[in-house]
């Protein structure tokens, strides 16, 4: 199982269940998702196993048209 956190900048942090927030990201204000996630993609699962966490920005960048 996994815990999912979000912050005000629309960043996503995925941790294994019960893990503390890594020190590199503890300065930001994270809000825990109410639902527990049972399944995640293979990419996220391998990143959590390797590093202990997975971080992704969910912001959409717009390309400028000149």
């Amino acid at each position: 199982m996994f815990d999912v956190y979000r912050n005000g900048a629309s960043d996503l942090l995925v941790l294994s269940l019960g893990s503390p927030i890594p020190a590199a990201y503890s300065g930001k204000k994270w809000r825990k998702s109410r639902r527990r996630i049972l399944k995640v993609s293979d990419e996220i699962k391998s990143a959590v196993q390797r590093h202990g966490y997975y971080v992704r920005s969910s912001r959409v960048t717009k390309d400028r048209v000149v």
Side-chain angles (χ1 to χ4, degrees), residues 10-47:
S10 301
D11 292 332
L12 185 71
L13 175 65
V14 180
L15 301 169
S16 58
L17 187 65
S19 296
I21 295 175
Y25 299 101
S26 64
K28 294 184 178 181
K29 193 169 192 172
W30 295 97
R31 295 182 134 199
K32 188 173 182 179
S33 175
R34 293 179 188 216
R35 290 189 282 166
R36 287 188 190 156
I37 307 300
L38 299 175
K39 291 185 178 182
V40 294
S41 70
D42 292 334
E43 176 189 353
I44 295 173
K45 189 183 297 183
S46 65

Side-chain angles (χ1 to χ4, degrees), residues 32-65:
K32 188 173 182 179
S33 175
R34 293 179 188 216
R35 290 189 282 166
R36 287 188 190 156
I37 307 300
L38 299 175
K39 291 185 178 182
V40 294
S41 70
D42 292 334
E43 176 189 353
I44 295 173
K45 189 183 297 183
S46 65
V48 169
Q49 288 175 350
R50 265 191 320 247
H51 304 289
Y53 62 91
Y54 173 81
V55 178
R56 182 182 77 196
S57 176
S58 60
R59 293 183 218 164
V60 177
T61 59
K62 295 182 181 180
D63 294 332
R64 286 188 180 183
V65 177

